[in-house]
Amino acid sequence: MHERSRTLWTSSAHLLAVAQRQGGLGFWSGDLAANEIYGTDGFYRSLGLGVRSLLSFSEWQSVVYASDLDIFLSMFALLRDGQSVCRDFRIVHPDYSVHWIRVDTDAIVGPDGQLRRVVGVLLNIDRERELLLATERENDRFRMLVKLSGDYVWTTDINGAIVELQAWQALTGQLPDTGSHTGWANMVHPDDRIRVMSEWRASFDNGRPYNVRYRLQHPDGNYRWVTVTGAPIFSESGTMREWIGLIRHDAPIIPPNAAEKRGWTF
């Protein structure tokens, strides 16, 4: 081997060892026809197994969490068909602790179209799943609080266009797709519409909280006073990411009279 090539290979090996020492990272390759899987030390440690030179498919399968076995088996079924695949699933260590891993693989197919080998990376994603679960819990709590309060949630994109109007059709009778972007304004009382849109544009342009009271049409054609509040959500860099707000009922329904209906223009 050329000296420079030998140096690069040694350096790569050292980098690989350092990367795996950070925890939760391992590399593997396998011959599925021979039922042989070869992994790095990090691969075996991530599976909770002692370091060894060879692992069988059934041995890997034996540490997969029972409810995730179908995910594991489907991953290898796709690999046997020559498809590259990435899957997240759980494994159980000898101490019965459960861990999430992500397995990203490539299928190496020969000129004849037959599967030669598979190679892959295994990554422990316990921390990622913990953060995801915490986010889901916060979202569940938020949705329950909104449900208990009787309010309706709305969100916009970075351009101020409505992208979510929770239970909007039940509230107004307007289809969600029709109410997206600025279509929701058609359900605002004609006498309030210009003021509502003007205040919304001013709040959006200046990045200040939105708080406005107006009459909103309901499915039966009646109007009810609502208070709509909202505020921008900023990213860590300080740029506006989205708006989120609430619609809250204020007063009893006010039926439109015949004269008022005749005077409406749209």
Side-chain angles (χ1 to χ4, degrees):
M1 180 183 293
H2 191 276
E3 184 62 30
R4 177 173 173 78
S5 298
R6 182 181 294 108
T7 301
L8 289 173
W9 172 256
T10 303
S11 298
S12 297
H14 287 166
L15 289 172
L16 179 63
V18 170
Q20 292 184 99
R21 282 204 302 271
Q22 299 307 306
L25 176 67
F27 303 87
W28 64 281
S29 66
D31 182 341
L32 300 188
N35 192 28
E36 295 177 344
I37 296 173
Y38 303 88
T40 61
D41 292 355
F43 170 77
Y44 294 118
R45 282 195 296 267
S46 295
L47 291 179
L49 302 174
V51 176
R52 60 191 70 186
S53 59
L54 181 65
L55 182 74
S56 68
F57 173 81
S58 58
E59 286 176 313
W60 189 351
Q61 179 178 329
S62 69
V63 302
V64 176
Y65 192 75
S67 298
D68 294 347
L69 192 57
D70 286 346
I71 300 174
F72 176 81
L73 295 174
S74 68
M75 178 181 73
F76 278 92
L78 291 171
L79 286 170
R80 288 189 174 92
D81 287 339
Q83 301 182 50
S84 298
V85 62
C86 180
R87 290 289 185 271
D88 297 349
F89 54 89
R90 290 164 291 182
I91 56 171
V92 183
H93 281 192
D95 62 0
Y96 301 105
S97 60
V98 178
H99 301 272
W100 278 96
I101 62 172
R102 174 169 297 139
V103 180
D104 194 356
T105 63
D106 271 338
I108 301 175
V109 179
D112 58 357
Q114 297 299 310
L115 179 66
R116 291 290 183 262
R117 295 190 68 79
V118 295
V119 295
V121 177
L122 183 151
L123 179 66
N124 180 287
I125 56 170
D126 281 341
R127 180 57 179 163
E128 178 182 323
R129 299 296 300 200
E130 288 171 3
L131 293 174
L132 179 61
L133 181 59
T135 299
E136 290 176 347
R137 285 172 177 164
E138 289 299 317
N139 288 338
D140 289 342
R141 289 168 182 163
F142 173 74
R143 283 191 292 267
M144 181 55 67
L145 287 172
V146 170
K147 183 177 181 180
L148 292 173
S149 71
D151 295 340
Y152 300 86
V153 177
W154 56 270
T155 59
T156 78
D157 61 18
I158 60 174
N159 298 312
I162 295 290
V163 294
E164 180 184 0
L165 285 167
Q166 188 181 76
W168 182 251
Q169 185 172 358
L171 177 64
T172 65
Q174 187 183 51
L175 294 174
D177 289 344
T178 306
S180 62
H181 297 281
T182 59
W184 59 270
N186 293 325
M187 306 309 294
V188 177
H189 193 285
D191 292 347
D192 299 336
R193 193 173 300 153
I194 294 177
R195 172 178 60 85
V196 168
M197 294 300 290
S198 176
E199 292 189 27
W200 162 241
R201 179 47 57 184
S203 290
F204 179 80
D205 290 344
N206 293 285
R208 65 171 185 249
Y210 180 66
N211 191 325
V212 64
R213 188 169 181 262
Y214 61 82
R215 288 162 289 183
L216 184 68
Q217 187 176 356
H218 284 61
D220 59 3
N222 293 322
Y223 282 83
R224 179 175 293 177
W225 283 97
V226 296
T227 294
V228 180
T229 57
I233 305 296
F234 295 95
S235 66
E236 292 183 359
S237 64
T239 57
M240 197 271 286
R241 189 177 68 209
E242 62 180 343
W243 275 69
I244 185 169
L246 296 173
I247 302 173
R248 174 170 295 173
H249 284 123
D250 283 356
I253 292 175
I254 305 171
N257 57 48
E260 186 179 26
K261 284 185 176 180
R262 286 196 298 269
W264 290 353
T265 57
F266 294 89

